[in-house]
Amino acid sequence: MWNIRDDRTPWVAALSGIVGTEGYGLESACQYGPVTPWFTEPERGLTEHTVTVPPDRLIDLVRSRSTYLTADAAEQARLDREIGELAATDPALAGRDGVEMPYRTCVYRMRRV
């Protein structure tokens, strides 16, 4: 199961441009190689939902991800700076108490043969 930011929303696409697109592509195809003959072909499920996020807490969301946690100090500083700028200047985010962060939740099910 993966929660993937939905980049069809412009400010979310801008956020992904800063932090990267880890997990992207999973909503259209399982990317982990063949599972046969041990399992059936993967069945995909996709659900869209939103989570309300205060724009000034976007950096906290990013800081909880492995790409941030494993980054060096310079990369972490860049992420902090650029996400702070996005939250302060993007018209969809600036001055708001909360915004809807859209996600696409992707799940795959395989059955043992």
Side-chain angles (χ1 to χ4, degrees):
M1 177 187 305
W2 296 268
N3 282 319
I4 304 165
R5 289 181 308 276
D6 190 343
D7 285 348
R8 295 177 293 183
T9 301
W11 75 264
V12 178
L15 178 64
S16 292
I18 296 168
V19 301
T21 56
E22 180 181 11
Y24 283 64
L26 289 169
E27 69 275 14
S28 58
C30 187
Q31 300 176 349
Y32 293 104
V35 295
T36 58
W38 307 280
F39 297 94
T40 60
E41 285 298 318
E43 300 171 44
R44 179 184 61 98
L46 187 63
T47 303
E48 297 178 2
H49 65 98
T50 62
V51 175
T52 303
V53 178
D56 63 346
R57 302 300 301 257
L58 285 174
I59 190 59
D60 294 334
L61 196 65
V62 172
R63 286 177 177 163
S64 71
R65 303 301 191 262
S66 60
T67 52
Y68 185 94
L69 295 170
T70 59
D72 62 27
E75 177 64 3
Q76 289 177 343
R78 180 194 70 81
L79 290 166
D80 290 347
R81 181 182 66 256
E82 291 184 16
I83 293 167
E85 289 172 5
L86 177 69
T89 62
D90 190 289
L93 302 173
R96 297 184 189 259
D97 292 330
V99 294
E100 295 299 311
M101 172 81 122
Y103 286 98
R104 301 176 85 195
T105 299
C106 181
V107 296
Y108 284 94
R109 177 174 68 177
M110 296 162 272
R111 298 181 189 273
R112 189 170 46 151
V113 176

